[in-house]
Structures are given as C-alpha cells and as structure tokens.
Amino acid sequence: HAKANSRGTTLLFSQDLDRTLKRRDLIEQGLRQADLDTELIVLMQPLVNVAQGRVVAFEALARWHSPHLGTISPGEFIAVAEVADLIQPMTEILLAKALAPVSDWPYEIGLSFNLSARDIISPHLVRRMARIITESGVAPERITFEVTETALISDFDQAKANLEDLKTIGCRIALDDFGTGFSSLSYVHRLPLDRLKIDRSFTSEMETVPVCRDIVGTMVLMSRNLGLSCVAEGVESAAQVALLRALGCDTMQGYFFAKPMPIEHLAGFLDGFSDAAAGSGTACAA
Ligand code: C2E
Ligand code: MG
Ligand code: MG
Ligand code: MG
C-alpha cells in the first residue's frame, strides 16, 4: 500500500544519492591526482552555415581521459572541478589545447570555447585568457567565448564586466543553451553579445511541438533584430535543417553535420566538407 510504497521510494532515492556522491568523490579524487596536461582532451565540433556551405567555427568540447575511470564527459567533471577549486588550471589547459590547431585553419574559421560559471565570475579571468591567447598567436577576433545564462546569475556585475573586457581585447561572446536558463530578456541587451545559441531541447522538439517551433522562430527574429548571429544546437536530421532554414536560421551545429572529433581529424573533415559543398552547391552532411 501507499506507506510501503513511499518508503520504497525513499530507499531508492537514498541509494541513488549515495551512488551519485560516491561517483562525485571518485571524480574529485581522480581530478586531484590527474596529470591534467595529458589527460584533458579537446574535441572539436563544426558550426556550419548551411546557406553558404561553409564551416563558420569549431567548438572545443572537453573530455577527461582518466586512466582509472575511463573517458568522462564535461557534464560530469566540470561541475566537480568547480566545487573542488580545480577549474582555473583546467580552463587554462583547455584553452591552450583548443587554440593550438587554429592557425592551421582557413582564417574565416573561428574557435568557440566554453567558459564555466566559476570562470566567468573570476576577477582574473580576462588577464589569464589574454595571456594564453597572446602565447598562441591566434587573433582574438577568431575566438568566441560561450557562456550560459545560468552561469551569469551568481555575480551578474562581475560576469558582465568580464564579458566587456573580453570584447575589449577583441574576442566575441555567445550566449549558450539559450532559452533554458532564467531567460531574462534583459540580459540579452545588457550584455555585449555577438551570438545566440538555441538550445538543443528546442531543436529536438520543434517538429513535434508547435510551440517549440514558434519559440525557435521568435529566437531567430530576436537575434536578427538585435544584430546577433544565431546558431541552432543539436541538429540531427535533414528535416530539422529544412525547418530551421524555413525559420530563418542558417547556422547549425549537431550530429547531422559531425559529432565532436579529435583535432587530428579536422583537416580531413574540412577537405571532405568542401568537396561535398562544391559537389552539391550547398553543404550536406559530411
Ligand atoms: P554545450 O556547450 O551546449 O555543448 C553542446 C553539447 O551537445 C556537447 O556535449 C555536444 O557534444 C553535444 N551535442 C552536439 N551536437 C549534438 C547532437 O546533435 N545531439 C546530441 N544529443 N548532442 C549533441 P558535451 O561535449 O558532453 O558537453 C556538454 C557541456 O559541457 C557543454 O554544453 C558545455 O556547457 C560543457 N563543456 C564542454 N566543454 C567544456 C570546456 O572545455 N569547458 C567548460 N567550462 N565547459 C565545457
Ligand atoms: Mg557551448
Ligand atoms: Mg549549448
Ligand atoms: Mg549545454
């Protein structure tokens, strides 16, 4: 009956919680002992302008190859690294690794790099990023820093000041996972943004949920009116590409074009991509 049932549920919850905490602990211990210089890896996923048939940028997506725990995704280890106060050295290592291949790309192709919530409120962020950018020799104009709405909340004024300073040194700013945070529209005009990234949840539901399609259309119009570029995340099918184009969104990212790939695969990907674009007149899945 109801009572036993609710006890059972409580027990399940506490087992889940226990497992989650143990896993969290393992990750934290692992990160503390890790040789982050070699174990942190950067994969790259293209942002494709479908109308122009070209790659606009690659987004750097981190992986941790732990010799003990296997490959861990950023969804798991970034949050742990933030709480354990390990995020700053990690961000520096990741940015240096992400910048390393950029000079080999055609100049029009930029780099997108994710900043965590802790990064974005650090008063030392811009000085640290600027040093790494200078060492890399990459023009700051080619670099876009991605931040989520949620990451800005805890100290909006510091976050805003950092974003403005990143703009001053020449970098660009994207608002990531747009529509999933505390989407206060006042953020959008108070921050020095260049690009909005429509969250995957809207892309994946836009064909079946009419209101999602309307929301995507509204986000596209809003970015146009504000002079921002707009990127749809999580594009997995030709039907989604067609619908996004019909809604006025030409730049997209997702498994339909490519999964995040190792840096060594980028040259081959770009060759195949330009062949495909030349062959069909527009870009198609490469
Ligand atoms: P994000 O920046 O919104 O990145 C998009 C995520 O969606 C990535 O997951 C990507 O692999 C995944 N994705 C891309 N296309 C598709 C698709 O078509 N379908 C599906 N199902 N997924 C797709 P990933 O690599 O696990 O990264 C998760 C999040 O972790 C990122 O979300 C970003 O917020 C954070 N992250 C990744 N790399 C870094 C980093 O170097 N530093 C920091 N601070 N955060 C990072
Ligand atoms: Mg991102
Ligand atoms: Mg996103
Ligand atoms: Mg995300």
Side-chain angles (χ1 to χ4, degrees):
H1 49 79
K3 207 169 179 188
N5 201 357
S6 92
R7 268 221 207 101
T9 309
T10 310
L11 184 62
L12 259 180
F13 273 141
S14 71
Q15 280 173 347
D16 277 357
L17 186 61
D18 199 46
R19 215 173 297 130
T20 307
L21 291 176
K22 283 207 175 98
R23 172 84 177 160
R24 213 211 137 274
D25 242 47
L26 271 180
I27 292 178
E28 179 172 341
Q29 291 319 312
L31 282 175
R32 288 194 191 286
Q33 288 153 18
D35 177 11
L36 294 174
D37 275 317
T38 59
E39 293 175 26
L40 284 179
I41 304 295
V42 168
L43 301 181
M44 295 281 185
Q45 187 184 37
L47 282 66
V48 177
N49 183 313
V50 182
Q52 298 170 355
R54 68 183 184 93
V55 173
V56 171
F58 286 104
E59 177 174 4
L61 293 162
R63 299 292 180 267
W64 173 32
H65 288 180
S66 159
H68 312 291
L69 302 170
T71 300
I72 317 266
S73 70
E76 248 193 322
F77 73 79
I78 295 285
V80 177
E82 290 199 292
V83 176
D85 214 10
L86 295 166
I87 192 70
Q88 298 204 358
M90 283 184 36
T91 299
E92 295 184 11
I93 291 167
L94 288 166
L95 181 63
K97 290 196 180 202
L99 285 168
V102 176
S103 311
D104 299 334
W105 304 342
Y107 191 82
E108 322 76 70
I109 300 182
L111 172 78
S112 250
F113 184 82
N114 292 285
L115 290 174
S116 79
R118 279 286 293 277
D119 291 324
I120 197 60
I121 58 166
S122 159
H124 309 294
L125 173 79
V126 182
R127 187 175 47 73
R128 293 185 297 119
M129 299 296 99
R131 178 177 51 75
I132 294 164
I133 293 167
T134 305
E135 281 167 9
S136 76
V138 173
E141 293 71 27
R142 299 179 71 184
I143 306 166
T144 300
F145 287 99
E146 299 196 357
V147 296
T148 63
E149 295 160 291
T150 321
L152 305 171
I153 307 263
S154 73
D155 187 348
F156 184 80
D157 292 336
Q158 180 67 57
K160 180 170 183 271
N162 279 344
L163 296 182
E164 282 163 354
D165 289 348
L166 287 171
K167 288 283 289 190
T168 302
I169 64 171
C171 299
R172 306 189 197 282
I173 311 294
L175 196 54
D176 204 352
D177 300 354
F178 186 60
T180 59
F182 295 86
S183 296
S184 162
L185 292 183
S186 71
Y187 283 12
V188 174
H189 83 264
R190 284 165 66 197
L191 295 169
L193 302 176
D194 298 281
R195 178 188 289 161
L196 290 185
K197 297 189 79 174
I198 299 173
D199 189 67
R200 174 160 62 87
S201 56
F202 298 104
T203 307
S204 60
E205 294 202 292
M206 111 200 126
E207 290 159 289
T208 48
V209 185
V211 72
C212 280
R213 175 192 307 218
D214 294 342
I215 290 173
V216 170
T218 303
M219 288 174 172
V220 174
L221 284 178
M222 190 181 81
S223 22
R224 184 172 306 154
N225 289 338
L226 293 168
L228 309 178
S229 71
C230 183
V231 179
E233 301 190 84
V235 177
E236 296 183 353
S237 71
Q240 290 172 340
V241 173
L243 182 51
L244 285 164
R245 289 203 69 179
L247 293 171
C249 178
D250 288 335
T251 305
M252 309 175 193
Q253 186 177 359
Y255 295 170
F256 180 74
F257 302 97
K259 290 199 168 171
M261 66 188 111
I263 285 170
E264 308 82 74
H265 295 186
L266 292 178
F269 170 80
L270 286 173
D271 284 347
F273 185 89
S274 56
D275 290 350
S280 66
T282 55
C284 58

